[in-house]
Amino acid sequence: SPPSPAAATSLPAPGPAPIPPPTSPPPPGPAPPSSTKLAGPPLQPVVTTPVPVVPGKPESAAEAVAAAVAAAVEKPMEGELHATTTSEETGPIRSVQQLLFDCDKGYDDWLHGWPREKKAWCCQHAGRACFRKISVGACADVDMQPISDSKGCKRAALAMRYASENVSYTKDSVNRPEGCYTLHHLQDGTRTLWLNSNPRSRGKGAETSIPAEGLFRHPICAAAPIEAPTPEG
């Protein structure tokens, strides 16, 4: 016969699911490398501009310097070379300058101490040693040359701050300095500027003076047939 309800075993009602015990976190690993932030504005990308290569010219500043040095060595005249390179924010720019002579070195005695080439170069590039009035000998004796035209004679007088720039002309007398010269007349104290165009006076200079008569002729010599700078002031 079926069991009685009293004899039946009562089962407990289902409760909540058990909670698992907490687990400990894993040990910390190595810290990632930290980045250092530099002070100042953020870096901008660098933009470079290539240097244009001129046909027949060196392609780098180093080659340009080497070429300039080689060119200076091949020149027969003695001198110095200074080569420089400059740069801008957009990239390098080549700039090579040849200074064949130091126009400050020996300037106190340039008339007798400088060769013809240095006088001509320094006159053209530094405005020095362009003209000189001499009281002894001729222009060739000091490695210079006479001035044979009125324009050059006036230019020399202006550069030397001579008292007068008015040129008088002579061509008949042989006993005159070749080219441009000054005449100092002791008797009346005048100083005048002259230009002698007589071809037979070639090579003549201050020896054409006549001290007994108070006449002193001094040639004005030029370093080279180039324009001299106008004096300041």
Side-chain angles (χ1 to χ4, degrees):
S1 62
S4 62
T9 305
S10 61
L11 297 176
I19 300 174
T23 59
S24 59
S34 60
S35 60
T36 304
K37 184 177 182 181
L38 298 178
L43 297 179
Q44 300 294 332
V46 178
V47 179
T48 59
T49 302
V51 180
V53 178
V54 180
K57 297 293 183 181
E59 297 184 356
S60 67
E63 292 174 350
V65 173
V69 173
V73 172
E74 294 177 357
K75 290 183 177 295
M77 55 187 176
E78 183 180 0
E80 299 180 356
L81 174 72
H82 300 272
T84 59
T85 57
T86 59
S87 63
E88 294 182 356
E89 295 178 357
T90 56
I93 295 179
R94 294 195 300 262
S95 174
V96 178
Q97 181 182 16
Q98 294 187 25
L99 299 180
L100 299 180
F101 295 101
D102 184 353
C103 299
D104 293 327
K105 185 177 180 180
Y107 181 69
D108 293 340
D109 189 32
W110 68 264
L111 181 64
H112 301 286
W114 287 5
R116 176 186 292 268
E117 295 83 2
K118 183 171 182 177
K119 291 171 182 174
W121 194 93
C122 288
C123 177
Q124 183 177 12
H125 293 85
R128 288 187 150 191
C130 292
F131 304 106
R132 175 59 68 92
K133 182 181 69 173
I134 60 175
S135 57
V136 177
C139 294
D141 299 331
V142 291
D143 281 331
M144 301 183 79
Q145 63 184 29
I147 301 172
S148 58
D149 62 283
S150 60
K151 183 179 179 180
C153 194
K154 292 179 180 180
R155 190 162 57 242
L158 178 64
M160 296 189 304
R161 300 182 182 274
Y162 194 65
S164 175
E165 300 171 21
N166 297 322
V167 181
S168 300
Y169 301 90
T170 177
K171 62 178 181 179
D172 297 328
S173 179
V174 178
N175 193 37
R176 298 288 186 275
E178 179 184 1
C180 183
Y181 68 94
T182 64
L183 174 62
H184 183 194
H185 201 305
L186 290 182
Q187 293 183 359
D188 56 16
T190 58
R191 297 176 183 268
T192 51
L193 192 64
W194 289 80
L195 182 65
N196 176 26
S197 59
N198 192 323
R200 298 174 60 190
S201 300
R202 183 179 180 86
K204 292 186 178 295
E207 75 280 359
T208 60
S209 300
I210 309 176
E213 300 180 9
L215 299 176
F216 294 90
R217 301 183 179 99
H218 297 160
I220 297 179
C221 308
I226 56 177
E227 293 186 3
T230 303
E232 298 180 357

